[in-house]
Coordinates of all heavy atoms in Angstrom, one line a residue:
M73 N 0.9 -1.2 0.0 CA 0.0 0.0 0.1 C 0.9 1.2 0.0 O 2.0 1.2 0.6 CB -0.9 0.0 1.2 CG -1.9 1.1 1.3 SD -3.3 0.7 2.3 CE -2.6 0.8 4.0
S74 N 0.4 2.4 -0.5 CA 1.1 3.5 -0.6 C 1.3 4.0 0.9 O 0.8 3.6 1.8 CB 0.3 4.7 -1.3 OG 1.0 5.8 -1.3
T75 N 2.5 4.8 1.0 CA 2.9 5.3 2.3 C 2.2 6.7 2.6 O 3.0 7.5 3.0 CB 4.2 5.2 2.6 OG1 4.9 6.0 1.6 CG2 4.8 3.8 2.5
N76 N 1.0 6.9 2.3 CA 0.6 8.3 2.4 C 0.3 8.5 3.9 O -0.4 7.8 4.8 CB -0.9 8.3 1.9 CG -1.6 9.7 2.0 OD1 -1.2 10.6 2.7 ND2 -2.5 10.0 1.1
N77 N 1.1 9.5 4.5 CA 1.1 9.8 5.9 C 0.4 11.0 6.2 O 0.7 11.6 7.2 CB 2.8 10.1 6.3 CG 3.5 8.8 6.2 OD1 3.0 7.7 6.5 ND2 4.7 8.8 5.8
S78 N -0.6 11.2 5.3 CA -1.4 12.6 5.6 C -2.1 12.5 6.9 O -2.5 11.4 7.3 CB -2.4 12.5 4.5 OG -3.4 13.7 4.8
S79 N -2.2 13.5 7.6 CA -3.0 13.7 8.8 C -4.5 13.6 8.5 O -5.3 13.6 9.4 CB -2.6 14.8 9.7 OG -2.9 16.0 8.9
R80 N -4.9 13.8 7.3 CA -6.3 13.9 6.9 C -6.8 12.5 6.5 O -6.3 11.8 5.6 CB -6.4 14.7 5.6 CG -5.9 16.2 6.1 CD -6.3 17.1 4.9 NE -7.7 17.2 4.9 CZ -8.4 18.0 4.1 NH1 -7.8 18.9 3.5 NH2 -9.7 18.0 4.1
P81 N -7.7 12.0 7.4 CA -8.2 10.6 7.2 C -8.8 10.3 5.8 O -8.6 9.3 5.3 CB -9.3 10.4 8.3 CG -8.8 11.4 9.4 CD -8.2 12.5 8.6
V82 N -9.4 11.3 5.2 CA -10.0 11.0 3.9 C -8.9 10.9 2.8 O -9.2 10.0 2.0 CB -11.0 12.3 3.5 CG1 -10.3 13.6 3.2 CG2 -11.8 11.9 2.4
M83 N -7.8 11.5 3.1 CA -6.7 11.2 2.1 C -6.1 9.9 2.2 O -5.8 9.2 1.2 CB -5.6 12.3 2.1 CG -6.2 13.8 1.9 SD -7.1 13.8 0.3 CE -5.7 13.5 -0.8
R84 N -5.9 9.5 3.5 CA -5.5 8.1 3.8 C -6.5 7.0 3.1 O -6.1 6.1 2.5 CB -5.3 7.8 5.2 CG -4.2 8.6 5.8 CD -3.6 8.2 7.1 NE -4.7 7.9 8.1 CZ -5.1 8.8 9.0 NH1 -4.7 10.0 9.2 NH2 -6.0 8.3 9.8
L85 N -7.8 7.3 3.3 CA -8.8 6.4 2.7 C -8.8 6.3 1.3 O -8.7 5.3 0.7 CB -10.2 6.8 3.2 CG -11.4 5.9 2.7 CD1 -11.2 4.4 3.1 CD2 -12.6 6.6 3.1
L86 N -8.7 7.5 0.8 CA -8.7 7.6 -0.8 C -7.5 6.8 -1.3 O -7.6 6.2 -2.4 CB -8.9 9.0 -1.3 CG -10.3 9.6 -1.1 CD1 -10.2 11.0 -1.5 CD2 -11.3 8.8 -1.7
D87 N -6.3 7.0 -0.7 CA -5.1 6.3 -1.1 C -5.3 5.0 -1.0 O -4.9 4.1 -1.9 CB -3.9 6.8 -0.2 CG -2.7 6.4 -0.7 OD1 -2.3 6.5 -1.9 OD2 -1.9 5.8 0.1
A88 N -5.9 4.4 0.0 CA -6.0 3.0 0.1 C -7.1 2.4 -0.8 O -6.8 1.4 -1.4 CB -6.6 2.6 1.6
L89 N -8.1 3.1 -1.1 CA -9.2 2.6 -2.0 C -8.6 2.8 -3.5 O -9.1 2.0 -4.4 CB -10.4 3.5 -1.9 CG -11.2 3.2 -0.5 CD1 -12.5 3.9 -0.5 CD2 -11.4 1.7 -0.3
G90 N -7.7 3.5 -3.6 CA -7.1 3.7 -5.0 C -6.1 2.6 -5.3 O -5.6 2.6 -6.5
Q91 N -5.8 1.8 -4.4 CA -4.8 0.6 -4.7 C -5.6 -0.3 -5.6 O -6.7 -0.6 -5.5 CB -4.4 0.0 -3.4 CG -3.7 0.8 -2.5 CD -2.3 1.3 -3.0 OE1 -1.6 0.5 -3.5 NE2 -2.1 2.6 -3.0
K92 N -4.8 -0.9 -6.5 CA -5.3 -1.8 -7.5 C -6.1 -3.0 -6.8 O -5.6 -3.6 -6.0 CB -4.3 -2.3 -8.5 CG -4.7 -3.1 -9.6 CD -3.7 -3.5 -10.5 CE -4.1 -4.2 -11.8 NZ -3.1 -4.4 -12.8
W93 N -7.3 -3.2 -7.3 CA -8.1 -4.2 -6.8 C -8.9 -3.9 -5.5 O -9.9 -4.6 -5.1 CB -7.5 -5.6 -6.7 CG -7.1 -6.1 -8.1 CD1 -5.8 -6.1 -8.5 CD2 -7.9 -6.7 -9.0 NE1 -5.9 -6.6 -9.9 CE2 -7.1 -7.0 -10.1 CE3 -9.3 -7.0 -9.1 CZ2 -7.6 -7.7 -11.3 CZ3 -9.8 -7.6 -10.2 CH2 -8.9 -7.9 -11.3
A94 N -8.6 -2.9 -4.8 CA -9.2 -2.7 -3.5 C -10.7 -2.4 -3.7 O -11.5 -3.0 -2.9 CB -8.6 -1.5 -2.8
L95 N -11.1 -1.6 -4.6 CA -12.5 -1.3 -4.7 C -13.3 -2.5 -5.3 O -14.4 -2.7 -4.8 CB -12.7 -0.1 -5.6 CG -12.4 1.3 -5.0 CD1 -12.5 2.4 -6.0 CD2 -13.5 1.5 -3.9
R96 N -12.7 -3.3 -6.0 CA -13.2 -4.6 -6.7 C -13.5 -5.4 -5.5 O -14.6 -6.1 -5.4 CB -12.3 -5.0 -7.6 CG -12.9 -6.4 -8.3 CD -14.3 -6.3 -9.0 NE -14.8 -7.4 -9.6 CZ -14.4 -8.0 -10.7 NH1 -13.7 -7.3 -11.5 NH2 -15.0 -9.2 -11.2
V97 N -12.5 -5.6 -4.6 CA -12.7 -6.5 -3.5 C -14.0 -6.1 -2.6 O -14.9 -6.8 -2.3 CB -11.5 -6.6 -2.6 CG1 -11.7 -7.3 -1.2 CG2 -10.3 -7.5 -3.3
L98 N -14.0 -4.8 -2.3 CA -15.1 -4.2 -1.5 C -16.4 -4.4 -2.3 O -17.4 -4.8 -1.7 CB -14.8 -2.9 -1.2 CG -13.7 -2.5 -0.3 CD1 -13.6 -1.0 0.0 CD2 -14.0 -3.3 1.0
W99 N -16.3 -4.2 -3.6 CA -17.6 -4.4 -4.3 C -18.2 -5.8 -4.3 O -19.2 -6.0 -4.1 CB -17.4 -4.0 -5.8 CG -18.6 -4.1 -6.7 CD1 -18.9 -5.0 -7.6 CD2 -19.8 -3.1 -6.6 NE1 -20.2 -4.6 -8.1 CE2 -20.7 -3.6 -7.6 CE3 -20.1 -1.9 -5.7 CZ2 -22.0 -2.9 -7.7 CZ3 -21.2 -1.3 -6.0 CH2 -22.1 -1.7 -6.9
E100 N -17.3 -6.8 -4.4 CA -17.7 -8.2 -4.5 C -18.2 -8.7 -3.0 O -19.0 -9.6 -3.0 CB -16.6 -9.1 -4.9 CG -16.2 -8.8 -6.4 CD -17.3 -8.9 -7.3 OE1 -18.3 -9.5 -7.1 OE2 -17.1 -8.4 -8.5
L101 N -17.8 -7.9 -2.0 CA -18.2 -8.4 -0.6 C -19.6 -7.8 -0.3 O -20.2 -8.1 0.7 CB -17.3 -7.8 0.4 CG -16.0 -8.7 0.3 CD1 -15.0 -8.1 1.4 CD2 -16.1 -10.2 0.7
R102 N -20.3 -7.1 -1.3 CA -21.5 -6.3 -1.0 C -22.7 -7.3 -0.6 O -23.5 -6.8 0.0 CB -21.9 -5.4 -2.1 CG -22.4 -6.1 -3.3 CD -22.5 -5.0 -4.5 NE -22.9 -5.7 -5.6 CZ -22.2 -6.5 -6.5 NH1 -21.0 -6.8 -6.2 NH2 -22.8 -7.0 -7.5
N103 N -22.6 -8.5 -1.0 CA -23.7 -9.4 -0.8 C -23.5 -10.4 0.3 O -24.3 -11.3 0.6 CB -24.1 -10.2 -2.1 CG -24.6 -9.3 -3.2 OD1 -25.4 -8.4 -2.9 ND2 -24.1 -9.5 -4.4
G104 N -22.3 -10.3 1.1 CA -22.1 -11.0 2.2 C -20.8 -11.7 2.2 O -20.1 -11.5 1.3
P105 N -20.5 -12.5 3.2 CA -19.2 -13.0 3.4 C -18.9 -14.0 2.3 O -19.8 -14.6 1.7 CB -19.4 -13.9 4.7 CG -20.6 -13.2 5.5 CD -21.3 -12.7 4.3
M106 N -17.7 -14.1 2.0 CA -17.1 -15.1 1.1 C -15.8 -15.5 1.6 O -14.9 -15.0 2.1 CB -16.8 -14.4 -0.3 CG -18.0 -14.1 -1.1 SD -17.4 -13.5 -2.7 CE -18.5 -12.2 -3.0
N107 N -15.6 -16.9 1.1 CA -14.3 -17.5 1.5 C -13.2 -17.0 0.4 O -13.6 -16.3 -0.5 CB -14.3 -19.0 1.6 CG -14.5 -19.6 0.3 OD1 -14.1 -19.3 -0.8 ND2 -15.2 -20.8 0.4
F108 N -12.0 -17.1 0.8 CA -10.9 -16.6 -0.2 C -11.1 -17.1 -1.8 O -11.1 -16.3 -2.5 CB -9.5 -17.1 0.3 CG -8.4 -16.6 -0.4 CD1 -7.9 -15.3 0.0 CD2 -7.8 -17.3 -1.6 CE1 -6.8 -14.8 -0.7 CE2 -6.7 -16.6 -2.2 CZ -6.2 -15.4 -1.8
R109 N -11.4 -18.4 -1.9 CA -11.5 -18.9 -3.3 C -12.7 -18.3 -4.0 O -12.7 -17.9 -5.1 CB -11.6 -20.4 -3.2 CG -10.3 -21.1 -3.0 CD -10.5 -22.6 -3.2 NE -9.3 -23.3 -2.5 CZ -8.2 -23.6 -3.2 NH1 -8.2 -23.3 -4.4 NH2 -7.2 -24.3 -2.5
Q110 N -13.8 -18.1 -3.3 CA -15.0 -17.4 -3.8 C -14.7 -16.1 -4.3 O -15.0 -15.5 -5.3 CB -16.2 -17.5 -2.8 CG -16.7 -18.8 -2.6 CD -17.7 -18.8 -1.4 OE1 -17.5 -18.2 -0.5 NE2 -18.8 -19.6 -1.5
L111 N -14.0 -15.3 -3.4 CA -13.6 -13.9 -3.6 C -12.7 -13.8 -4.8 O -12.9 -13.0 -5.7 CB -13.1 -13.3 -2.3 CG -12.9 -11.8 -2.4 CD1 -14.1 -11.1 -2.8 CD2 -12.4 -11.4 -1.0
Q112 N -11.7 -14.7 -4.8 CA -10.8 -14.9 -5.9 C -11.5 -14.9 -7.3 O -11.3 -14.3 -8.3 CB -9.7 -15.8 -5.7 CG -8.6 -15.8 -6.7 CD -7.7 -17.0 -6.5 OE1 -7.9 -18.0 -5.9 NE2 -6.4 -16.8 -7.1
A113 N -12.4 -15.9 -7.3 CA -13.2 -16.2 -8.5 C -14.0 -14.9 -8.9 O -14.1 -14.6 -10.2 CB -14.0 -17.4 -8.4
R114 N -14.6 -14.3 -7.9 CA -15.5 -13.2 -8.2 C -14.6 -12.0 -8.7 O -15.0 -11.0 -9.5 CB -16.2 -12.7 -7.0 CG -17.3 -13.5 -6.5 CD -18.4 -13.8 -7.6 NE -19.2 -12.6 -7.9 CZ -20.3 -12.2 -7.4 NH1 -20.9 -13.0 -6.6 NH2 -20.7 -11.1 -7.8
C115 N -13.3 -12.1 -8.4 CA -12.4 -10.8 -8.8 C -11.6 -11.4 -10.1 O -10.4 -11.0 -10.3 CB -11.5 -10.5 -7.8 SG -12.2 -9.6 -6.4
D116 N -12.2 -12.2 -10.9 CA -11.7 -12.5 -12.2 C -10.4 -13.3 -12.0 O -9.5 -13.0 -12.9 CB -11.6 -11.3 -13.2 CG -12.7 -10.6 -13.5 OD1 -13.8 -11.4 -13.7 OD2 -12.7 -9.4 -13.7
D117 N -10.4 -14.2 -11.1 CA -9.2 -15.0 -10.7 C -7.9 -14.2 -10.5 O -6.9 -14.4 -11.0 CB -9.0 -16.1 -11.8 CG -10.0 -17.2 -11.8 OD1 -10.3 -17.5 -10.7 OD2 -10.4 -17.6 -12.8
L118 N -8.1 -13.1 -9.7 CA -7.0 -12.4 -9.3 C -6.0 -13.2 -8.6 O -6.3 -14.2 -7.9 CB -7.5 -11.3 -8.3 CG -6.6 -10.5 -7.4 CD1 -5.8 -9.6 -8.4 CD2 -7.4 -9.7 -6.5
S119 N -4.8 -12.9 -8.8 CA -3.7 -13.8 -8.3 C -3.8 -13.8 -6.7 O -4.2 -12.9 -6.0 CB -2.3 -13.3 -8.6 OG -1.9 -12.2 -7.8
P120 N -3.5 -15.0 -6.1 CA -3.6 -15.1 -4.6 C -2.7 -14.2 -3.9 O -3.2 -13.6 -2.8 CB -3.2 -16.5 -4.4 CG -3.3 -17.3 -5.6 CD -3.2 -16.3 -6.7
T121 N -1.6 -13.8 -4.5 CA -0.7 -12.8 -3.9 C -1.3 -11.5 -3.7 O -1.3 -10.8 -2.7 CB 0.6 -12.8 -4.5 OG1 1.2 -14.0 -4.7 CG2 1.6 -11.8 -3.9
S122 N -1.9 -11.0 -4.9 CA -2.4 -9.7 -5.0 C -3.8 -9.6 -4.0 O -4.0 -8.6 -3.4 CB -3.0 -9.4 -6.3 OG -1.8 -9.2 -7.1
L123 N -4.6 -10.6 -4.1 CA -5.7 -10.7 -3.3 C -5.4 -10.7 -1.8 O -6.0 -10.0 -0.9 CB -6.7 -11.9 -3.5 CG -8.0 -12.0 -2.7 CD1 -8.7 -10.8 -2.8 CD2 -8.8 -13.2 -3.2
N124 N -4.4 -11.6 -1.4 CA -3.9 -11.6 0.0 C -3.4 -10.2 0.4 O -3.7 -9.7 1.6 CB -2.8 -12.6 0.2 CG -3.3 -13.9 0.6 OD1 -4.2 -13.9 1.5 ND2 -2.7 -14.8 0.0
R125 N -2.7 -9.4 -0.4 CA -2.2 -8.1 -0.1 C -3.3 -7.2 0.2 O -3.4 -6.4 1.1 CB -1.4 -7.6 -1.2 CG -0.7 -6.2 -0.9 CD 0.3 -5.8 -2.0 NE 1.3 -6.9 -2.4 CZ 1.3 -7.5 -3.7 NH1 0.5 -7.0 -4.6 NH2 2.2 -8.4 -3.9
R126 N -4.3 -7.1 -0.8 CA -5.5 -6.2 -0.7 C -6.3 -6.5 0.7 O -6.6 -5.6 1.4 CB -6.4 -6.3 -1.9 CG -5.9 -5.7 -3.1 CD -5.6 -4.2 -3.0 NE -4.3 -3.8 -2.5 CZ -3.2 -3.7 -3.3 NH1 -3.3 -4.1 -4.5 NH2 -2.1 -3.4 -2.8
L127 N -6.6 -7.8 0.9 CA -7.2 -8.2 2.0 C -6.6 -7.7 3.3 O -7.2 -7.4 4.3 CB -7.6 -9.8 2.0 CG -8.7 -10.1 1.1 CD1 -8.6 -11.6 1.0 CD2 -10.0 -9.6 1.5
K128 N -5.3 -7.9 3.3 CA -4.5 -7.6 4.5 C -4.6 -6.0 4.7 O -4.9 -5.7 5.9 CB -3.0 -7.9 4.3 CG -2.0 -7.5 5.5 CD -0.7 -8.0 5.1 CE 0.2 -7.8 6.4 NZ 0.9 -6.5 6.3
E129 N -4.5 -5.2 3.7 CA -4.6 -3.8 3.8 C -5.9 -3.4 4.3 O -6.1 -2.6 5.3 CB -4.3 -3.1 2.5 CG -2.7 -3.3 2.2 CD -2.4 -3.1 0.7 OE1 -3.3 -2.8 -0.1 OE2 -1.2 -3.1 0.4
L130 N -6.9 -4.0 3.7 CA -8.3 -3.7 4.2 C -8.7 -4.0 5.6 O -9.4 -3.4 6.3 CB -9.4 -4.3 3.1 CG -9.3 -3.6 1.7 CD1 -10.1 -4.5 0.8 CD2 -9.8 -2.2 1.7
R131 N -8.0 -5.2 6.0 CA -8.2 -5.6 7.3 C -7.5 -4.6 8.3 O -8.0 -4.3 9.4 CB -7.7 -7.1 7.5 CG -8.7 -8.1 6.9 CD -8.0 -9.4 6.9 NE -8.2 -10.0 8.3 CZ -7.7 -11.1 8.7 NH1 -7.0 -11.8 7.8 NH2 -7.8 -11.4 10.0
E132 N -6.3 -4.3 7.9 CA -5.6 -3.3 8.8 C -6.3 -2.0 9.0 O -6.2 -1.3 10.0 CB -4.2 -3.1 8.1 CG -3.3 -4.2 8.3 CD -2.0 -4.1 7.7 OE1 -1.8 -3.0 6.8 OE2 -1.1 -5.0 7.8
L133 N -7.0 -1.7 8.0 CA -7.8 -0.4 8.0 C -9.1 -0.5 8.8 O -9.9 0.5 9.0 CB -8.2 0.0 6.5 CG -7.0 0.7 5.7 CD1 -7.4 0.9 4.3 CD2 -6.5 2.0 6.4
G134 N -9.5 -1.8 9.1 CA -10.7 -2.0 9.8 C -12.0 -2.1 9.0 O -13.1 -2.0 9.4
I135 N -11.8 -2.2 7.6 CA -12.8 -2.2 6.7 C -13.4 -3.5 6.5 O -14.6 -3.8 6.3 CB -12.4 -1.6 5.4 CG1 -12.1 0.0 5.6 CG2 -13.5 -1.6 4.2 CD1 -11.4 0.6 4.4
V136 N -12.4 -4.5 6.5 CA -12.9 -6.0 6.3 C -12.3 -6.8 7.4 O -11.4 -6.5 8.1 CB -12.1 -6.5 4.9 CG1 -12.3 -8.0 4.8 CG2 -12.7 -5.8 3.7
E137 N -13.1 -7.8 7.7 CA -12.8 -8.8 8.7 C -12.9 -10.1 8.3 O -13.5 -10.4 7.3 CB -13.6 -8.5 10.1 CG -15.0 -8.5 9.8 CD -15.8 -8.0 11.1 OE1 -15.2 -7.3 11.9 OE2 -17.1 -8.3 11.2
H138 N -12.3 -11.2 9.0 CA -12.3 -12.5 8.7 C -12.7 -13.4 9.9 O -12.3 -13.1 10.9 CB -10.9 -12.9 8.1 CG -10.9 -14.3 7.7 ND1 -10.4 -15.4 8.4 CD2 -11.4 -14.8 6.5 CE1 -10.6 -16.5 7.7 NE2 -11.1 -16.2 6.5
D139 N -13.7 -14.2 9.6 CA -14.1 -15.2 10.6 C -14.4 -16.5 10.0 O -14.1 -16.7 8.8 CB -15.3 -14.6 11.5 CG -16.5 -14.3 10.7 OD1 -16.8 -14.9 9.7 OD2 -17.4 -13.6 11.2
E140 N -15.1 -17.4 10.7 CA -15.4 -18.7 10.1 C -16.3 -18.6 8.9 O -16.3 -19.6 8.1 CB -16.0 -19.7 11.2 CG -17.4 -19.2 11.7 CD -17.2 -18.1 12.8 OE1 -16.0 -17.9 13.3 OE2 -18.3 -17.4 13.2
E141 N -17.0 -17.6 8.7 CA -17.9 -17.4 7.5 C -17.1 -17.0 6.2 O -17.5 -17.1 5.1 CB -19.0 -16.5 7.7 CG -20.1 -17.0 8.7 CD -21.3 -16.2 8.8 OE1 -21.8 -15.8 7.8 OE2 -21.6 -15.7 10.0
G142 N -15.8 -16.4 6.5 CA -15.1 -15.9 5.4 C -14.8 -14.4 5.7 O -14.8 -13.9 6.7
F143 N -14.5 -13.8 4.5 CA -14.2 -12.2 4.6 C -15.6 -11.5 4.5 O -16.4 -11.9 3.7 CB -13.3 -12.0 3.4 CG -11.9 -12.6 3.6 CD1 -11.6 -13.7 3.0 CD2 -11.0 -11.9 4.4 CE1 -10.3 -14.3 3.2 CE2 -9.7 -12.5 4.6 CZ -9.5 -13.6 4.0
A144 N -15.7 -10.5 5.2 CA -16.9 -9.7 5.1 C -16.6 -8.3 5.7 O -15.5 -8.0 6.1 CB -18.0 -10.3 6.1
Y145 N -17.4 -7.4 5.3 CA -17.3 -6.0 5.8 C -17.4 -6.0 7.4 O -18.1 -6.7 8.1 CB -18.5 -5.2 5.5 CG -18.7 -4.8 4.0 CD1 -19.8 -4.8 3.4 CD2 -17.4 -4.6 3.2 CE1 -20.1 -4.6 2.0 CE2 -17.7 -4.3 1.8 CZ -19.0 -4.3 1.3 OH -19.1 -4.0 0.0
S146 N -16.6 -5.2 8.0 CA -16.6 -4.9 9.4 C -17.8 -3.9 9.5 O -18.4 -3.5 8.6 CB -15.4 -4.3 9.9 OG -15.1 -3.0 9.4
A147 N -18.2 -3.4 10.8 CA -19.2 -2.5 10.9 C -18.8 -1.2 10.1 O -19.6 -0.5 9.4 CB -19.5 -2.1 12.4
A148 N -17.5 -0.8 10.3 CA -17.1 0.5 9.5 C -17.2 0.2 8.1 O -17.5 1.1 7.3 CB -15.8 0.8 10.1
G149 N -16.8 -1.0 7.6 CA -16.8 -1.3 6.2 C -18.1 -1.4 5.6 O -18.3 -0.9 4.5
A150 N -19.2 -1.8 6.4 CA -20.6 -1.8 6.0 C -21.0 -0.3 5.7 O -21.7 0.0 4.7 CB -21.5 -2.5 6.8
E151 N -20.6 0.6 6.7 CA -20.9 1.9 6.5 C -20.2 2.5 5.3 O -20.9 3.4 4.5 CB -20.5 2.7 7.7 CG -20.8 4.2 7.8 CD -20.4 4.8 9.1 OE1 -19.9 4.1 10.1 OE2 -20.6 6.1 9.1
L152 N -19.1 2.3 5.1 CA -18.3 2.7 3.9 C -19.0 2.1 2.5 O -19.1 2.9 1.5 CB -16.9 2.3 3.9 CG -16.1 2.6 2.6 CD1 -16.0 4.1 2.3 CD2 -14.5 2.1 2.7
A153 N -19.3 0.9 2.6 CA -20.1 0.4 1.5 C -21.3 1.0 1.1 O -21.7 1.2 -0.1 CB -20.3 -1.2 1.7
E154 N -22.1 1.5 2.1 CA -23.2 2.3 1.8 C -22.9 3.5 1.0 O -23.6 3.9 0.0 CB -23.9 2.7 3.1 CG -24.7 1.5 3.7 CD -25.8 1.0 2.8 OE1 -26.6 1.8 2.1 OE2 -25.9 -0.3 2.7
Q155 N -21.8 4.2 1.4 CA -21.3 5.5 0.6 C -20.8 5.0 -0.6 O -21.2 5.8 -1.7 CB -20.2 6.1 1.4 CG -20.6 6.4 2.9 CD -21.8 7.5 2.9 OE1 -21.9 8.4 2.2 NE2 -22.7 7.0 3.8
L156 N -20.2 3.9 -0.9 CA -19.8 3.5 -2.2 C -21.0 3.2 -3.2 O -21.0 3.4 -4.4 CB -18.9 2.2 -2.2 CG -17.5 2.5 -1.5 CD1 -16.8 1.2 -1.4 CD2 -16.7 3.5 -2.3
L157 N -22.1 2.7 -2.5 CA -23.4 2.4 -3.4 C -24.0 3.8 -3.9 O -24.4 3.8 -5.0 CB -24.3 1.7 -2.5 CG -24.0 0.2 -2.3 CD1 -25.0 -0.5 -1.3 CD2 -24.0 -0.6 -3.7
Q158 N -23.8 4.7 -3.0 CA -24.3 6.1 -3.4 C -23.5 6.6 -4.6 O -24.0 7.2 -5.5 CB -24.3 7.1 -2.3 CG -25.3 6.8 -1.2 CD -26.8 6.7 -1.7 OE1 -27.1 7.5 -2.4 NE2 -27.3 5.6 -1.4
L159 N -22.2 6.4 -4.6 CA -21.4 6.7 -5.7 C -21.8 6.0 -6.9 O -21.8 6.5 -8.0 CB -19.9 6.4 -5.4 CG -19.1 7.5 -4.5 CD1 -17.7 7.0 -4.2 CD2 -19.1 8.8 -5.2
N160 N -22.2 4.8 -6.8 CA -22.6 3.9 -7.9 C -23.8 4.5 -8.5 O -24.0 4.7 -9.7 CB -22.8 2.5 -7.5 CG -23.1 1.6 -8.7 OD1 -22.4 1.6 -9.7 ND2 -24.3 1.0 -8.6
I161 N -24.8 4.9 -7.7 CA -26.1 5.5 -8.1 C -25.7 6.8 -8.9 O -26.2 7.1 -10.0 CB -27.0 5.7 -6.9 CG1 -27.4 4.4 -6.4 CG2 -28.1 6.6 -7.3 CD1 -28.2 4.5 -5.1
W162 N -24.9 7.6 -8.4 CA -24.4 8.9 -9.0 C -23.8 8.6 -10.4 O -24.1 9.2 -11.4 CB -23.5 9.7 -8.1 CG -23.1 10.9 -8.8 CD1 -23.7 12.2 -8.6 CD2 -22.0 11.2 -9.6 NE1 -23.1 13.1 -9.3 CE2 -22.0 12.5 -10.0 CE3 -21.1 10.4 -10.1 CZ2 -21.1 13.1 -10.8 CZ3 -20.1 10.9 -11.1 CH2 -20.1 12.3 -11.4
A163 N -22.9 7.5 -10.4 CA -22.2 7.3 -11.8 C -23.4 6.8 -12.7 O -23.2 7.1 -13.8 CB -21.3 6.2 -11.4
D164 N -24.2 6.0 -12.3 CA -25.2 5.5 -13.3 C -26.1 6.6 -13.8 O -26.4 6.6 -15.0 CB -26.3 4.5 -12.6 CG -25.5 3.1 -12.3 OD1 -24.4 2.8 -12.9 OD2 -26.1 2.3 -11.5
R165 N -26.3 7.7 -12.9 CA -27.2 8.7 -13.5 C -26.3 9.7 -14.4 O -26.9 10.2 -15.2 CB -27.7 9.5 -12.2 CG -29.1 9.3 -11.9 CD -29.6 10.4 -11.0 NE -28.7 10.9 -10.0 CZ -28.7 10.4 -8.7 NH1 -29.6 9.7 -8.2 NH2 -27.8 11.0 -7.8
N166 N -25.1 9.9 -14.1 CA -24.3 11.1 -14.6 C -23.2 10.6 -15.6 O -22.8 11.6 -16.4 CB -23.7 11.9 -13.4 CG -24.8 12.5 -12.6 OD1 -25.5 13.4 -13.1 ND2 -25.1 12.0 -11.4
L167 N -22.8 9.4 -15.7 CA -21.7 9.1 -16.6 C -22.2 8.2 -17.7 O -23.1 7.4 -17.6 CB -20.7 8.4 -15.9 CG -19.9 9.1 -14.7 CD1 -18.9 8.4 -14.1 CD2 -19.3 10.4 -15.2

């Protein structure tokens, strides 16, 4: 992940979400928990190394968590996902 040391949380978040595959991983988790293989398949067979890297970064940010059901949004991640859905609505209307 980039080493954005900004004191502005929004800049740190945008830097993290701008990493390759980060938004795709979050998008694919929108319908509930998935195990690693399911998530990898949903991300067009993203390499295991890249997927592991993105999941690690998203977990460190507290956006994604992992338990016996698989990878899923944390409470903060679910809140972020709602905001991303609003961006999707805006994009559908305006782009």
